[in-house]
Amino acid sequence: MMRTDEHYPRNGTLKSHCDQKQQENNSLKNGYHKNEKVHKNGTVNGFHQPRVRGEDSFEEAPMYVAVLTYMGYGIVILFGYFRDLLRAIGLEKCHQAQERQEQKDFVPLYQDFENFYTRNMYMRVRDNWNRPICSLPGPVFDLMERVTDDYNWTFRLTGKTIKNVINMGSYNYLGFAENNVDFLRTVAEVTRQYGVGVCSTRQELGNFSIHEKLEQHVAEFLGVEAAMAFGMGFATNSMNIPALVGKGCLILSDELNHTSLILGARLSSATIRVFKHNNMQSLEKLLKEAICSGQPRTHRSWKKILIMVEGIYSMEGSLVRLPEILALKKKYKAYLYLDEAHSIGAVGATGRGVTEHFGVDPNEVDVLMGTFTKSFGAAGGYIAGKKELVDYLRAHSHSAVYATAMSPPVVEQIIRAIKCIMGVDGTTEGQRRVRQLAENTRYLRSRLKDMGFIVYGNKDSPVVPLLLYLPGKVGAFSRAMLRRKIGVVVVGFPATTITEARARFCVSAAHTKEMLDKVIQSLDELGDYIRVKFSRHRLSQRPALYDETDFELDS
Amino acid sequence: MGWLYYQYLLITGIYVLEPWEQSVFNTLLFTAVAMVIYTSYVFVPVHVHLALDFFSELVRGQPESTVALIN
């Protein structure tokens, strides 16, 4: 007892924070005290240092690319109809589910036309997705080799593994998906202590002390009053938005929001209006209209107006315009729901997300949501904000009442990741990783731009979408990269607009420069061979600047 | 040459199709192109000749046709 008392005068913080601070008082590292200062100052005013936000780039491709894309889709659709005809006649065996002969005249169970796209286009290039992985998804991983005898309708494993494939697709931003014994020591101990299963929901008998510890850590990490953690990131959005808004409320959501946000919004039965992506004029127009006209028929005022945005949009790599949205929010008295699934841990000088990146006080955002899947190498999501909000959600959220609580080893992994990033565990490993990620991001993005690829998004976002456009090139790109032992994720029509198919790279702090160089070199060769370098900006004439040996010679 | 064929496969989107479908498309395209070439070979010289006659008649035609009328 006396030991902790002697730390109070040095600390000088409010009594209510003493529980959280107790364990950290023993740490004497410089980095920790600096974080503590940020913590205290954050409550005073908005801006720490106004940050110049890089512009998002959404370069358009030349017109012939759009024409060729539509032509390619048209030809494949024609062949789709042709094959459907053959299947209907009976000349070709139908691999899809069909009703039994006796039930042919009943109401149809399987709509033939609705999965036209799946049957005739997705099936042909299906081998680029769902590849079985047989190692941990670190910076390099092993894939199981898979061949198909009937053009992707069925697969068979040959038994061989493709080893040391560079992983450019996993959301492993800070490299916490690792199996280093030293780092995972606490996780093993917790597994020994608590086991793996929880066997109850959070509200019944599933509220372990380790869950409380996690929530305190998350709240401290973000700089807010309280936080609550859930078992699944998607469910965090879809199950908690209905608890926050209901009928008679208005939701203004960005055009390119994730499916979990859209699902949560629809489940809540609030009115949803969509504004153009990152477009503040569109948002302001909607806000003005909402305040002036009120609810659709009765013209009563809206009970709540909630603006839903994401920190980093996962398909474009663009950052939200946080300062402008906060200004609009204050002017029109709306609430803000910020989904930091990809940006927590990945942007910001110490990895605290877009609020730190823009120098904004996190207490100004009403609901901070994030996931532990991406930067923390675990699973689950959290919602953080004022204490009243979190207490309300503990009682009224579907996830809290019905979903099983998080598994203890996963919770410990998150706790150790947060401690590592904050520097509390006594090393500078966390900050090194945050800096390494920023450096890797800058390097990869600038090299890709210089080589002539069209890359969307903000220069600070670790999500790097590279545009491919044509449907034929999408499949060819993924297969060719796998032959060169690089695993990429390509995305096509339903997830993106029809003309903008892309390959999405996720930079990780665990990637070394050699890996990035290998990826860049392969992309260079492949880009020339397949012809996907569509950018019309003048290519940089100074590639030698990035060669490290030149710097050594100069100094 | 192989690279050009590969580019053709990628751009038209044929790359994703099965080989027999690729052959069907190639045959159709080749037939269509062959018909276009044959038609142009047979008819284009005649049409060009007629067009040249028409335009040259227009240019020198005013004195010519009035002369023809009088005669």
Side-chain angles (χ1 to χ4, degrees):
Chain A
M1 286 304 168
M2 291 316 292
R3 246 179 324 173
T4 52
D5 279 349
E6 73 195 13
H7 291 287
Y8 284 167
R10 194 183 352 153
N11 211 8
T13 51
L14 309 171
K15 252 178 126 178
S16 59
H17 289 289
C18 66
D19 297 336
Q20 297 167 13
K21 295 275 194 274
Q22 204 161 271
Q23 46 206 346
E24 281 85 63
N25 287 344
N26 299 327
S27 148
L28 293 172
K29 286 284 166 188
N30 290 344
Y32 172 65
H33 290 296
K34 190 171 105 167
N35 291 344
E36 204 182 7
K37 276 216 196 68
V38 170
H39 210 234
K40 279 189 286 185
N41 282 348
T43 52
V44 176
N45 57 7
F47 285 92
H48 295 288
Q49 336 92 321
R51 162 99 181 207
V52 174
R53 175 183 182 280
E55 268 316 301
D56 293 339
S57 75
F58 287 101
E59 190 188 334
E60 274 194 25
M63 177 62 91
Y64 72 87
V65 174
V67 170
L68 289 177
T69 309
Y70 281 121
M71 183 185 86
Y73 273 112
I75 294 178
V76 181
I77 288 176
L78 281 178
F79 271 97
Y81 279 122
F82 175 56
R83 294 292 292 269
D84 272 351
L85 177 71
L86 290 183
R87 277 186 265 256
I89 292 180
L91 276 176
E92 187 186 329
K93 175 166 162 277
C94 183
H95 295 263
Q96 281 218 316
Q98 276 185 321
E99 293 108 336
R100 291 159 51 207
Q101 269 307 109
E102 301 86 5
Q103 293 173 325
K104 270 276 190 239
D105 294 324
F106 289 14
V107 171
L109 272 179
Y110 308 107
Q111 292 286 2
D112 283 333
F113 189 70
E114 268 179 16
N115 39 28
F116 177 85
Y117 178 80
T118 315
R119 204 171 46 239
N120 292 311
M121 293 197 249
Y122 176 68
M123 277 299 173
R124 297 185 193 272
V125 280
R126 196 162 78 112
D127 60 308
N128 296 318
W129 291 278
N130 300 336
R131 292 182 181 144
I133 300 175
C134 53
S135 74
L136 70 95
V140 291
F141 60 171
D142 303 333
L143 289 175
M144 301 182 74
E145 199 183 348
R146 205 170 52 147
V147 292
T148 172
D149 302 315
D150 50 359
Y151 299 105
N152 295 343
W153 285 99
T154 57
F155 291 106
R156 124 185 105 80
L157 298 168
T158 57
K160 289 202 292 236
T161 44
I162 312 176
K163 290 205 183 295
N164 291 335
V165 178
I166 296 183
N167 185 357
M168 295 302 293
S170 287
Y171 307 130
N172 187 13
Y173 297 132
L174 292 177
F176 281 116
E178 58 197 349
N179 53 5
N180 184 323
V181 174
D182 292 323
F183 291 145
L184 293 181
R185 203 180 304 274
T186 47
V187 178
E189 274 163 27
V190 161
T191 313
R192 238 168 273 152
Q193 181 188 354
Y194 287 100
V196 178
V198 180
C199 308
S200 185
T201 66
R202 199 68 198 277
Q203 270 202 354
E204 292 175 10
L205 285 177
N207 193 16
F208 291 1
S209 57
I210 201 170
H211 292 129
E212 307 264 324
K213 222 168 82 158
L214 169 68
E215 291 173 356
Q216 280 169 7
H217 277 283
V218 170
E220 194 187 330
F221 177 68
L222 296 171
V224 288
E225 285 180 24
M228 181 172 179
F230 304 94
M232 183 176 159
F234 188 99
T236 309
N237 270 332
S238 46
M239 297 293 118
N240 286 306
I241 297 179
L244 294 173
V245 290
K247 225 162 149 48
C249 303
L250 176 66
I251 292 183
L252 297 172
S253 90
D254 190 292
E255 204 177 19
L256 298 172
N257 267 342
H258 191 249
T259 315
S260 56
L261 289 166
I262 298 178
L263 186 63
R266 286 188 189 160
L267 273 178
S268 69
S269 69
T271 312
I272 308 175
R273 303 222 172 116
V274 173
F275 63 93
K276 294 204 191 3
H277 179 59
N278 259 352
N279 189 333
M280 295 299 110
Q281 287 84 10
S282 174
L283 177 60
E284 183 157 19
K285 190 159 97 77
L286 284 179
L287 277 167
K288 277 191 188 147
E289 226 178 282
I291 306 268
C292 294
S293 339
Q295 298 190 26
R297 278 190 309 274
T298 56
H299 292 292
R300 285 193 214 153
S301 58
W302 295 101
K303 284 199 217 147
K304 262 180 265 197
I305 301 184
L306 185 69
I307 305 175
M308 290 202 315
V309 285
E310 290 188 37
I312 292 185
Y313 290 90
S314 56
M315 277 302 150
E316 276 73 34
S318 51
L319 252 57
V320 65
R321 292 182 195 275
L322 197 56
E324 286 100 323
I325 291 195
L326 284 176
L328 275 177
K329 174 184 102 86
K330 285 201 193 86
K331 181 173 168 191
Y332 292 99
K333 300 206 185 3
Y335 295 107
L336 181 60
Y337 185 102
L338 180 63
D339 176 348
E340 289 207 80
H342 285 267
S343 54
I344 190 73
V347 291
T350 58
R352 269 134 166 106
V354 281
T355 47
E356 189 186 18
H357 180 88
F358 288 109
V360 160
D361 180 11
N363 286 309
E364 291 199 13
V365 181
D366 303 292
V367 188
L368 280 164
M369 179 264 169
T371 59
F372 300 120
T373 332
K374 320 286 186 331
S375 301
F376 298 98
Y382 66 85
I383 288 203
K386 298 252 176 320
K387 193 163 184 321
E388 295 91 16
L389 170 75
V390 176
D391 286 342
Y392 178 81
L393 279 179
R394 280 191 217 278
H396 291 92
S397 152
H398 296 291
S399 251
V401 177
Y402 295 109
T404 315
M406 290 172 84
S407 175
V410 174
V411 174
E412 181 56 32
Q413 157 74 0
I414 303 169
I415 292 179
R416 80 126 184 132
I418 290 184
K419 280 187 180 161
C420 185
I421 299 177
M422 290 205 298
V424 173
D425 61 346
T427 65
T428 50
E429 178 69 14
Q431 290 307 309
R432 181 197 72 83
R433 288 186 190 206
V434 172
R435 273 195 304 270
Q436 181 74 32
L437 174 67
E439 203 180 299
N440 284 355
T441 308
R442 265 198 302 271
Y443 183 59
L444 186 70
R445 273 188 174 262
S446 55
R447 286 301 297 271
L448 287 183
K449 276 241 164 65
D450 285 343
M451 287 199 300
F453 290 103
I454 295 188
V455 172
Y456 275 2
N458 194 298
K459 66 173 168 45
D460 291 318
S461 94
V463 176
V464 183
L466 191 152
L467 275 274
L468 297 172
Y469 296 104
L470 278 73
K473 296 193 180 178
V474 162
F477 184 82
S478 184
R479 287 177 198 150
M481 287 298 266
L482 187 59
R483 267 199 295 274
R484 289 176 157 77
K485 308 248 285 201
I486 300 173
V488 297
V489 170
V490 288
V491 208
F493 165 54
T496 64
T497 42
I498 196 162
T499 34
E500 292 174 5
R502 60 199 72 175
R504 183 182 66 176
F505 297 103
C506 293
V507 187
S508 165
H511 284 136
T512 59
K513 191 147 181 301
E514 290 78 34
M515 288 183 213
L516 286 182
D517 281 334
K518 176 165 181 249
V519 170
I520 289 170
Q521 194 203 358
S522 308
L523 278 176
D524 202 4
E525 287 165 12
L526 202 59
D528 284 326
Y529 190 67
I530 291 189
R531 300 281 294 268
V532 277
K533 294 187 179 177
F534 295 117
S535 179
R536 281 176 289 189
H537 295 152
R538 210 166 44 88
L539 298 181
S540 168
Q541 299 300 321
R542 41 181 179 86
L545 203 59
Y546 300 104
D547 200 348
E548 235 177 318
T549 51
D550 282 347
F551 288 132
E552 286 172 88
L553 284 172
D554 283 343
S555 64
Chain B
M1 197 56 218
W3 179 76
L4 272 178
Y5 181 62
Y6 186 64
Q7 284 299 308
Y8 155 75
L9 285 182
L10 286 182
I11 289 178
T12 53
I14 301 296
Y15 177 82
V16 304
L17 298 178
E18 300 174 23
W20 65 271
E21 288 169 331
Q22 287 179 356
S23 319
V24 165
F25 183 81
N26 285 342
T27 315
L28 283 174
L29 189 67
F30 179 70
T31 317
V33 169
M35 286 198 282
V36 164
I37 293 178
Y38 176 72
T39 313
S40 60
Y41 174 74
V42 169
F43 287 106
V44 162
V46 180
H47 282 164
V48 165
H49 195 253
L50 284 174
L52 275 177
D53 276 346
F54 179 73
F55 283 116
S56 62
E57 194 200 338
L58 260 183
V59 166
R60 289 179 281 110
Q62 276 104 12
E64 256 184 42
S65 57
T66 43
V67 164
L69 275 177
I70 291 169
N71 284 1

